[in-house]
């Protein structure tokens, strides 16, 4: 009994050590980003670098905002990310329900196409999308960028939501139908509340993916007034490879804030939804 207890404690200690190492590994880039944003250029170029700055100053933040115009770029990214999130969820929800519940011949073809689309490299789809957007006047516009992000995000979002719908027992819908509820009433009163965590997770994926995306925006957006935040941050990397590290760190730190705020807002809903589903299951 004593040997077993000792073994359990040892395993638990090893688990805590592994978890601590993992947290440190994930947290170090963020710690480096935060400290670099407050360091002077001399400290960043010092041959004997220190983890913490000698004085915490905001010069890099001021320089980043004035040089790159991050305010307008952040607004463009926010508009694109929110529009993409709303459209992706609105399209993926009914499509995922149909894939999970309706037994048709198209189901296998659609599922195969969704999985196949995930292996396509970006460069393969950007050329046809560029040629399709130009005739309809959406090239070099935020609306065109939203279209591209929806096309890019929809397959994975659809597959993600399909899994959540499939996890809901069909007996719940049958019980609602037996009680006289219409299909629309069943969807609204039974399915939608249980799909809360899935909708939150899908929204988070679509928002963060669109917010951080750089390659599509670089190809499609040429007007400086319409550039997104990742495009503006790229200005801190000079054409000769010289990086304004302090301003880049400050700009990147500012760019993280909306994603963290969005995650903080929906994280409670995601957690409560998962716990609610566990209790009901």
């Amino acid at each position: 009994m004593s040997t077993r207890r000792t073994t359990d404690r040892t395993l638990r200690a090893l688990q805590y050590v592994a978890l601590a190492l993992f947290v440190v590994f994930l947290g170090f880039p963020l710690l480096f980003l935060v400290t670099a944003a407050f360091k002077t250029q001399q400290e960043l170029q010092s041959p004997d670098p220190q983890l913490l700055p000698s004085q915490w100053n905001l010069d890099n933040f001021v320089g980043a905002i004035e040089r790159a115009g991050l305010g307008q770029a952040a607004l463009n990214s926010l508009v694109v990310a929110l529009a993409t999130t709303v459209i992706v969820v609105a399209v993926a929800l009914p499509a995922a329900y149909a894939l999970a519940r309706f037994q048709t011949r198209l189901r296998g073809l659609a599922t195969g196409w969704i999985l196949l689309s995930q292996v396509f490299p970006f460069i393969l789809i950007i050329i046809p999308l560029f040629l399709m957007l130009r005739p309809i006047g959406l090239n070099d516009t935020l609306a065109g960028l939203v279209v591209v992000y929806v096309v890019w995000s929809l397959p994975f979002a659809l597959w993600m939501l399909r899994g959540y719908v499939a996890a809901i027992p069909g007996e719940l819908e049958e019980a609602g139908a037996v009680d006289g509820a219409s299909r629309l009433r069943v969807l609204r009163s039974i399915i939608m509340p249980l799909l809360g965590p899935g909708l939150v997770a899908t929204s988070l994926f679509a928002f963060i993916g669109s917010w951080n995306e750089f390659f599509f925006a670089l190809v499609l957006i040429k007007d400086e007034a319409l550039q997104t935040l990742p495009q503006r941050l790229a200005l801190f990397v000079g054409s000769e490879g010289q990086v304004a590290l302090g301003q880049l760190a400050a700009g990147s730190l500012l760019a993280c804030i909306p994603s963290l705020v969005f995650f903080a807002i929906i994280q409670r809903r995601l957690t409560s939804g998962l716990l609610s589903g566990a209790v009901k299951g």
Side-chain angles (χ1 to χ4, degrees):
M1 187 67 179
S2 176
T3 303
R4 182 177 179 181
R5 185 175 300 175
T6 303
T7 303
D8 291 342
R9 288 179 178 176
T10 303
L11 290 176
R12 187 176 302 173
L14 290 176
Q15 290 175 345
Y16 282 126
V17 170
L19 179 62
L21 292 175
F22 182 66
V23 170
V24 171
F25 177 77
L26 288 180
F28 181 76
L30 181 60
L31 176 63
F32 176 82
L33 184 70
V34 172
T35 56
F38 290 94
K39 287 182 178 179
T40 63
Q41 191 65 23
Q42 291 74 19
E43 289 177 304
L44 292 170
Q45 295 178 344
S46 172
D48 183 22
Q50 303 295 320
L51 180 59
L52 299 178
S54 57
Q55 290 185 345
W56 297 78
N57 66 82
L58 300 176
D59 294 344
N60 289 325
F61 291 91
V62 176
I65 294 174
E66 292 180 348
R67 176 182 172 185
L70 295 185
Q72 182 60 45
L75 180 60
N76 294 337
S77 290
L78 185 63
V79 170
V80 170
L82 288 177
T84 300
T85 302
V86 172
I87 296 174
V88 165
V89 172
V91 176
L93 178 57
Y97 183 81
L99 278 180
R101 287 290 191 258
F102 300 149
Q103 303 292 334
T104 65
R105 293 182 178 180
L106 287 176
R107 177 182 177 182
L109 293 175
T111 303
W113 176 248
I114 291 171
L115 295 177
L116 182 62
S117 67
Q118 297 304 293
V119 303
F120 293 158
F122 288 175
I123 193 64
L124 185 65
I125 64 175
I126 189 61
I127 296 175
L129 284 173
F130 181 83
L131 296 177
M132 291 171 60
L133 292 175
R134 187 170 57 182
I136 58 178
L138 290 181
N139 194 23
D140 200 14
T141 64
L142 294 183
L145 194 59
V146 170
V147 172
V148 173
Y149 286 168
V150 169
V151 173
W152 174 56
S153 304
L154 194 54
F156 188 78
L158 178 56
W159 187 253
M160 184 187 299
L161 266 181
R162 175 194 170 278
Y164 279 95
V165 175
I168 298 175
E171 290 78 4
L172 293 177
E173 296 180 52
E174 295 174 1
V178 169
D179 290 340
S182 64
R183 177 172 288 274
L184 184 61
R185 175 71 181 277
V186 169
L187 291 176
R188 187 176 66 248
S189 302
I190 298 177
I191 301 301
M192 289 298 293
L194 296 176
L195 272 181
L199 294 174
V200 171
T202 305
S203 301
L204 184 64
F205 161 76
F207 181 88
I208 294 181
S210 304
W211 178 266
N212 293 329
E213 203 285 325
F214 173 72
F215 177 72
F216 289 137
L218 179 66
V219 175
L220 294 175
I221 302 297
K222 301 302 179 187
D223 188 346
E224 290 187 1
L226 299 178
Q227 286 182 338
T228 59
L229 204 51
Q231 286 180 278
R232 303 303 292 179
L233 290 177
L235 294 177
F236 296 114
V237 181
S239 57
E240 298 180 354
Q242 297 177 346
V243 182
L245 188 57
Q247 295 183 1
L248 177 60
S252 300
L253 192 60
L254 292 174
C256 292
I257 294 176
S259 295
L260 294 176
V261 171
F262 184 73
F263 179 76
I265 293 174
I266 68 173
Q267 183 266 345
R268 181 175 298 176
R269 171 58 181 160
L270 177 63
T271 305
S272 62
L274 288 173
L275 294 176
S276 175
V279 173
K280 291 177 181 176

